[in-house]
Amino acid sequence: WWTGLHYVFLFTGERTEATLLTRWDWLDWNTGWLNVHASVRKGKKKSEAYLLPPKVLEKLKPLRDVTKEEIFQNPWSNAHKS
């Protein structure tokens, strides 16, 4: 979880809150593009897209089985469990 989070910070430069609120459906696994919607970004006016290199996608893959909608949903809370 932490490693994936740090990789996304490194390759996007996105703010903490926006990064923590990114959702799986915003990530295109085929192309590596992550679209961070305006609704979670500061100012809430402009979305931003980032091309994540394969190394970042590799770090995110294990999280798919742990978190539901948000990529970085707290894995230590019970909120993500059904």
Side-chain angles (χ1 to χ4, degrees):
W1 191 88
W2 286 107
T3 304
L5 178 65
H6 288 142
Y7 269 80
V8 171
F9 280 142
L10 179 66
F11 285 94
T12 66
E14 193 60 70
R15 293 176 169 269
T16 302
E17 183 176 0
T19 302
L20 291 174
L21 292 174
T22 55
R23 302 173 58 87
W24 285 117
D25 57 342
W26 299 351
L27 176 60
D28 184 331
W29 287 99
N30 295 320
T31 63
W33 282 99
L34 174 65
N35 182 34
V36 182
H37 289 213
S39 62
V40 299
R41 298 187 78 230
K42 183 177 179 182
K44 303 192 184 313
K45 294 183 189 227
K46 182 182 175 198
S47 295
E48 190 66 57
Y50 303 98
L51 182 57
L52 301 178
K55 182 71 172 178
V56 177
L57 298 176
E58 179 183 311
K59 299 297 181 184
L60 294 178
K61 279 183 184 176
L63 300 178
R64 289 188 296 187
D65 297 329
V66 179
T67 61
K68 272 187 162 183
E69 296 174 2
E70 295 169 352
I71 296 173
F72 297 108
Q73 186 172 350
N74 184 345
W76 297 282
S77 76
N78 289 328
H80 70 282
K81 297 179 183 174
S82 306

